[in-house]
Amino acid sequence: NAGVMQNPRHLVRRRGQEARLRCSPMKGHSHVYWYRQLPEEGLKFMVYLQKENIIDESGMPKERFSAEFPKEGPSILRIQQVVRGDSAAYFCASSPPTGEFTEAFFGQGTRLTVV
Amino acid sequence: AQSVAQPEDQVNVAEGNPLTVKCTYSVSGNPYLFWYVQYPNRGLQFLLKYITGDNLVKGSYGFEAEFNKSQTSFHLKKPSALVSDSALYFCAVRDKRGSQGNLIFGKGTKLSVKP
């Protein structure tokens, strides 16, 4: 049973380009969460999604960032027109349809570098 | 504002000695409290949680934590440290009124256990 899979593990983008980060939750998990970790800081909540629904996006920047979790396929975190300040590690976690968040499993993260 | 503080960037312990990793929190309501561990190039792994009930919580790998409401603390402890415990430890809190994925993480404490 594979864990939460994130790809790519490392992503380099030039300023102004788009970044797409993918997250495949564990089998049977229908809740996905995205977090961002800036250098020397803890993880910051961005968004909580269920299949085809955004449940809580209170941590998402108002512009350039979007997330989706379609009925089929992985969850995507999309960053348009990236800037140097977007450089960070982005972690995805997933949890089953029942139970508290503590049962969530984290992926290894995608490290985005904007040059 | 809700927050979590891990006052020590690094904790150094000799193998076999007890260890403590400190965490204090600030939330407006009753908290859910968590500890996660991150090994190099790995995602976060859940260690333990406090939701309600006994103030002393036991978790994975021999770790435990004590919830102290008056001191708003949730320190992580282990009676006898192992070299393999060396990793980055994160404390997190959730306001029960928030969505289940909206955790607030501390900056992390690097634990180094020497033989």
Side-chain angles (χ1 to χ4, degrees):
Chain A
N1 185 13
V4 177
M5 303 300 293
Q6 289 189 248
N7 67 83
R9 292 289 308 280
H10 300 274
L11 181 62
V12 179
R13 284 288 177 265
R14 295 186 183 278
R15 281 179 295 171
Q17 291 185 320
E18 178 180 286
R20 280 181 176 248
L21 288 63
R22 294 174 182 77
C23 169
S24 295
M26 285 185 69
K27 187 177 181 180
H29 286 192
S30 57
H31 298 189
V32 165
Y33 318 85
W34 285 94
Y35 283 79
R36 174 166 65 174
Q37 184 178 32
L38 295 170
E40 308 301 321
E41 293 189 19
L43 281 73
K44 304 286 188 189
F45 169 79
M46 299 181 76
V47 63
Y48 162 28
L49 309 107
Q50 296 178 14
K51 285 284 187 180
E52 300 185 281
N53 285 305
I54 297 175
I55 307 302
D56 180 356
E57 57 181 348
S58 58
M60 286 282 271
K62 295 288 183 261
E63 298 177 345
R64 301 188 297 108
F65 284 72
S66 62
E68 63 177 9
F69 188 20
K71 187 176 181 181
E72 301 291 338
S75 175
I76 305 288
L77 179 67
R78 182 183 178 202
I79 311 172
Q80 295 178 290
Q81 299 174 338
V82 295
V83 301
R84 289 224 170 105
D86 296 332
S87 296
Y90 291 83
F91 289 93
C92 169
S94 72
S95 65
T98 56
E100 287 287 342
F101 178 79
T102 52
E103 301 304 319
F105 295 81
F106 280 81
Q108 292 180 286
T110 293
R111 278 146 183 87
L112 171 66
T113 302
V114 179
V115 298
Chain B
Q2 300 177 77
S3 64
V4 173
Q6 292 181 243
E8 302 152 317
D9 291 336
Q10 181 154 345
V11 171
N12 298 313
V13 178
E15 187 175 30
N17 283 0
L19 70 87
T20 298
V21 183
K22 295 180 180 177
C23 172
T24 58
Y25 66 89
S26 174
V27 296
S28 52
N30 291 321
Y32 287 168
L33 292 155
F34 310 88
W35 276 101
Y36 285 84
V37 60
Q38 185 179 29
Y39 297 100
N41 298 314
R42 303 278 294 276
L44 275 71
Q45 296 179 31
F46 169 73
L47 276 180
L48 51 78
K49 67 182 177 184
Y50 171 82
I51 304 297
T52 187
D54 285 342
N55 290 342
L56 185 63
V57 177
K58 294 189 182 297
S60 307
Y61 313 120
F63 284 93
E64 58 187 29
E66 186 167 10
F67 170 60
N68 187 318
K69 189 173 184 177
S70 62
Q71 296 184 5
T72 61
S73 67
F74 190 55
H75 301 330
L76 181 70
K77 299 182 180 182
K78 187 172 182 179
S80 179
L82 300 172
V83 173
S84 57
D85 292 330
S86 298
L88 191 56
Y89 290 80
F90 290 96
C91 180
V93 66
R94 173 194 150 195
D95 185 334
K96 287 184 179 177
R97 299 172 300 178
S99 73
Q100 69 175 32
N102 196 340
L103 296 189
I104 300 165
F105 282 85
K107 291 186 179 182
T109 298
K110 183 179 180 181
L111 174 66
S112 178
V113 182
K114 301 294 185 186

